[in-house]
Amino acid sequence: MLTQGPAQLQLRRKSARLSAVLRAASAVGAALVAVVGFAPPARSVWVAVAVVGLLLWSGLFIVLMFRPEPRSWLCAGDTAVVVVLCLAHGNLVPAEVLGASAGSGWIDMVAGSGIFIAQFGLRQPLAMAAAIAIAAAYAVGAPGIRDAPLIMVLQGLLGATVVFLLRHGARRADLALSEEAAARASARARSAARTDELDQQRLLHDTVLATLTIVGTGSITRDSAALTERAAADLAVIADLRAHPGVARDAAHEPAPLDVALRTVVLTRRVGLPSLDIEFDVPPLDLPHEVVEALSQAIAEALTNVAQHADTRAAGVTARRAGEGVTVEVCDSGRGFDPAAVPSHRRGLRESVYGRMRAVGGSARAVSSPGAGTRVVLRWEP
């Protein structure tokens, strides 16, 4: 069985409900006409059995058709019931109806609805075969030249055409939805790959490139024990990234304590850099794991910049609620700098701070000027 998309499944359910409504309306109407218009040569026993049987079948048909997954055998069973009634046509309607060239009796109501129900509920060519079987049974049940069987065949053709167009449209809609979903999945995959690439670049900047910068400025020499310790820490970060590339993403939306993460950053010793006296004011605060990670890594980079460039040993880390989000600041009273004059190849603020915050839907800005210290402000709202 071919897999059906959402549009085809919806069309199938709507068709089942329409079939149930058709059978209910035609059965009730036919029963009333059969009782009110009873006249010879119709036989009372035959009419009573036929009407009761039709109503019982219609009730069962309606109940089963409104189930979540209606079966096609219900429509085949409905066709069988209609065929039986058509074969008994001569014993169920008055003489005036039998003498009419076009069908106008209650059997015609049941037969017409049965033809449309078959078109909606059965696949071709079975649906058209059901229409022809009903027309043939009608002709056999009430012999004579009349237009009704031909009209029934035309009804079958009309119903088959309408259902074909509806199903074709549903298939096209499912194809369009599938292509759109594939495009979205591809875009998400490209975005995830780009995010991984940027994360790796930021980690390299914060570890290996930062260490090389310290070595290049002469802060530590290659014979220093601090260099060995720092290089080992950098390698551990890279090894963990390779061993567990998806762990962070899997836990991205789990809550995590921001205050604990920032306190860990503040207490972490920055090997090869001067120690800082940091004033810490962060209340207990839980945020999504990916946000806490982005904020803590951005704050770590900001503190590294203070230790490396600000020419001061004092800094402050504060956080406060901002609506449903948070604002975190790193302040120092050091030498300051001109943010607009930072070369394009310097990725510290641009990627390790600004980029990390953008990646989680937040923002960051650095307020500074030469000789006036620096204030890095990070904001995030859900």
Side-chain angles (χ1 to χ4, degrees):
M1 183 176 180
L2 296 177
T3 301
Q4 294 183 329
Q8 294 178 80
L9 290 174
Q10 186 69 5
L11 175 61
R12 183 181 175 188
R13 294 189 184 101
K14 295 294 184 183
S15 298
R17 282 146 181 76
L18 176 60
S19 298
V21 171
L22 280 175
R23 176 50 62 229
S26 64
V28 172
L32 290 175
V33 172
V35 174
V36 173
F38 176 80
R43 301 181 183 181
S44 57
V45 176
W46 284 61
V47 172
V49 171
V51 169
V52 171
L54 175 62
L55 292 175
L56 289 175
W57 165 253
S58 298
L60 178 63
F61 182 84
I62 293 167
V63 170
L64 295 179
M65 271 298 186
F66 272 92
R67 298 180 69 178
E69 290 296 331
R71 302 296 181 182
S72 58
W73 66 263
L74 284 169
C75 295
D78 188 75
T79 298
V81 171
V82 174
V83 165
V84 170
L85 290 175
C86 288
L87 289 174
H89 189 191
N91 297 303
L92 299 175
V93 298
E96 293 81 357
V97 175
L98 288 176
S101 61
S104 57
W106 67 276
I107 294 297
D108 301 270
M109 298 172 60
V110 176
S113 59
I115 288 172
F116 281 107
I117 288 172
Q119 305 312 306
F120 280 107
L122 298 175
R123 293 289 182 182
Q124 297 295 352
L126 292 178
M128 199 61 214
I132 295 173
I134 292 173
Y138 186 96
V140 172
I145 300 175
R146 62 186 67 218
D147 300 334
L150 178 59
I151 293 174
M152 291 179 184
V153 174
L154 293 177
Q155 287 176 335
L157 290 172
L158 175 61
T161 301
V162 171
V163 171
F164 170 79
L165 293 175
L166 289 174
R167 288 174 178 169
H168 179 68
R171 283 193 295 270
R172 288 177 61 88
D174 282 334
L175 179 60
L177 289 172
S178 177
E179 291 175 349
E180 182 182 356
R184 287 200 302 267
S186 178
R188 285 196 298 267
R190 290 194 300 269
S191 177
R194 177 59 178 161
T195 299
D196 285 342
E197 180 183 353
L198 290 174
D199 286 344
Q200 292 178 21
Q201 290 177 358
R202 290 164 189 151
L203 280 174
L204 287 174
H205 172 272
D206 296 349
T207 55
V208 177
L209 294 180
T211 301
L212 292 176
T213 299
I214 294 174
V215 174
T217 57
S219 299
I220 55 178
T221 65
R222 65 179 183 177
D223 297 327
S224 171
L227 176 60
T228 302
E229 183 179 349
R230 188 176 179 106
D234 294 347
L235 288 174
V237 171
I238 295 173
D240 184 66
L241 178 65
R242 294 180 61 186
H244 308 287
V247 170
R249 182 171 289 110
D250 292 340
H253 300 289
E254 295 295 325
L258 176 65
D259 53 309
V260 174
L262 293 185
R263 188 177 296 277
T264 301
V265 169
V266 167
L267 296 177
T268 299
R269 188 165 65 93
R270 279 161 283 280
V271 179
L273 294 176
S275 60
L276 296 175
D277 182 11
I278 300 174
E279 183 178 345
F280 186 79
D281 182 15
V282 178
L285 192 60
D286 286 350
L287 295 172
H289 184 278
E290 62 175 358
V291 176
V292 170
E293 184 176 15
L295 285 168
S296 60
Q297 290 177 343
I299 293 299
E301 175 62 18
L303 291 175
T304 297
N305 288 338
V306 172
Q308 191 168 355
H309 303 296
D311 194 21
T312 182
R313 298 294 175 264
V317 175
T318 61
R320 65 180 184 276
R321 277 283 189 185
E324 296 184 9
V326 67
T327 298
V328 183
E329 294 187 7
V330 176
C331 301
D332 71 76
S333 56
R335 67 174 66 180
F337 69 101
D338 181 5
V342 177
S344 60
H345 67 274
R346 299 288 297 275
R347 304 177 64 87
L349 279 174
R350 184 174 293 107
E351 284 298 333
S352 293
V353 179
Y354 299 164
R356 277 196 172 105
M357 293 307 299
R358 283 196 303 270
V360 295
S363 63
R365 65 187 179 96
V367 180
S368 182
S369 60
T374 301
R375 185 164 64 98
V376 177
V377 184
L378 313 178
R379 289 191 175 91
W380 179 84
E381 288 190 25

